[in-house]
Amino acid sequence: VLGSYVSSNARLRVEMEEKNERLDYLASHDPLTSIPNRRTFFEQAHQCLQRSKRAKNPFALVVIDLNGFKQVNDRLGHKVGDAVLLHLARRLSSGFRDTDFIGRLGGDEFGVLLEPVENAGGVDEVMRRFNPVGAGEFEAGVDPVRYQFAAGAAIYPRDGANVLQLYEAADTAMYHSKKGVPSALIWK
């Protein structure tokens, strides 16, 4: 009886650990794209800020937003819209450095933490490598779907002393980018 109890208890413990890991994953990742969600992105941004303060090493917060995404959903449907989001998330995941952190901030907005980055030139270099990867085209049924994005970046400490200030600066730069050239990168 004792052996059966110990065996059952061990099995239940493993099952509980697996369920807790699954719940942690679901709480920290976007269900559509499987990349970290907004909460996790901003938690990582706060950690990035603390590391940057200690090491006196700049980092950048980049906001990327799809251009005309509402029209994609309205014209082609939400299924195709979801496919566009998934396609961009995959390209983001493969288009940045291993040291960078990517998250879905909500809707058609994504964030990237570039760590480390020396200056605006470093941000520009990373984004130039990503730009041809980020804007894209893929087959959705019989018609190809093309999409473009706008991106804005803010660099710590130049553009803000905290995560909220950095996010707001990057978001403002991204909206300026939307008014200009598609798939452009602008920062303060």
Side-chain angles (χ1 to χ4, degrees), residues 139-144:
E139 296 298 322
V142 294
D143 296 324

Side-chain angles (χ1 to χ4, degrees), residues 11-37:
R11 187 175 53 4
L12 287 173
R13 187 172 303 132
V14 168
E15 287 176 16
M16 285 281 286
E17 287 173 5
E18 288 172 354
K19 286 183 186 206
N20 284 336
E21 286 175 15
R22 179 71 180 147
L23 288 173
D24 286 344
Y25 180 85
L26 291 172
S28 64
H29 287 75
D30 177 63
L32 175 65
T33 63
S34 297
I35 63 174
N37 62 19

Side-chain angles (χ1 to χ4, degrees), residues 122-177:
V123 174
D124 191 44
E125 179 184 325
V126 171
M127 289 306 294
R128 283 185 202 279
R129 279 191 309 233
F130 170 72
N131 197 15
V133 174
E137 176 178 302
F138 68 99
E139 296 298 322
V142 294
D143 296 324
V145 175
R146 292 182 182 95
Y147 62 86
Q148 294 180 317
F149 63 86
I155 300 172
Y156 171 81
R158 184 188 76 185
D159 299 324
N162 61 49
V163 171
L164 180 59
Q165 290 173 352
L166 291 169
Y167 172 75
E168 288 174 349
D171 196 53
T172 298
M174 182 270 300
Y175 277 104
H176 288 304
S177 173

Side-chain angles (χ1 to χ4, degrees), residues 5-188:
Y5 170 77
V6 170
S7 175
S8 293
N9 195 22
R11 187 175 53 4
L12 287 173
R13 187 172 303 132
V14 168
E15 287 176 16
M16 285 281 286
E17 287 173 5
E18 288 172 354
K19 286 183 186 206
N20 284 336
E21 286 175 15
R22 179 71 180 147
L23 288 173
D24 286 344
Y25 180 85
L26 291 172
S28 64
H29 287 75
D30 177 63
L32 175 65
T33 63
S34 297
I35 63 174
N37 62 19
R38 181 182 188 89
R39 180 183 63 86
T40 304
F41 178 82
F42 282 104
E43 286 173 358
Q44 185 67 30
H46 285 287
Q47 292 172 15
C48 192
L49 178 68
Q50 295 308 314
R51 285 191 301 273
S52 186
K53 284 180 178 180
R54 279 192 305 275
K56 299 197 183 326
N57 203 10
F59 77 96
L61 190 151
V62 179
V63 175
I64 298 172
D65 190 80
L66 285 166
N67 293 337
F69 184 67
K70 182 181 181 326
Q71 288 78 18
V72 171
N73 274 335
D74 290 349
R75 198 178 93 238
L76 303 172
H78 291 282
K79 186 175 180 180
V80 172
D82 286 352
V84 168
L85 293 171
L86 191 54
H87 191 259
L88 178 59
R90 287 181 182 144
R91 297 186 92 176
L92 285 168
S93 295
S94 66
F96 284 95
R97 306 170 301 181
D98 291 340
T99 58
D100 301 331
F101 188 87
I102 296 140
R104 182 173 178 203
L105 304 181
D108 63 338
E109 187 175 84
F110 294 83
V112 182
L113 299 171
L114 303 176
E115 181 185 24
V117 66
E118 293 302 317
N119 52 36
V123 174
D124 191 44
E125 179 184 325
V126 171
M127 289 306 294
R128 283 185 202 279
R129 279 191 309 233
F130 170 72
N131 197 15
V133 174
E137 176 178 302
F138 68 99
E139 296 298 322
V142 294
D143 296 324
V145 175
R146 292 182 182 95
Y147 62 86
Q148 294 180 317
F149 63 86
I155 300 172
Y156 171 81
R158 184 188 76 185
D159 299 324
N162 61 49
V163 171
L164 180 59
Q165 290 173 352
L166 291 169
Y167 172 75
E168 288 174 349
D171 196 53
T172 298
M174 182 270 300
Y175 277 104
H176 288 304
S177 173
K178 274 189 173 290
K179 294 177 184 175
V181 179
S183 298
L185 173 70
I186 296 177
W187 55 82
K188 288 169 88 174

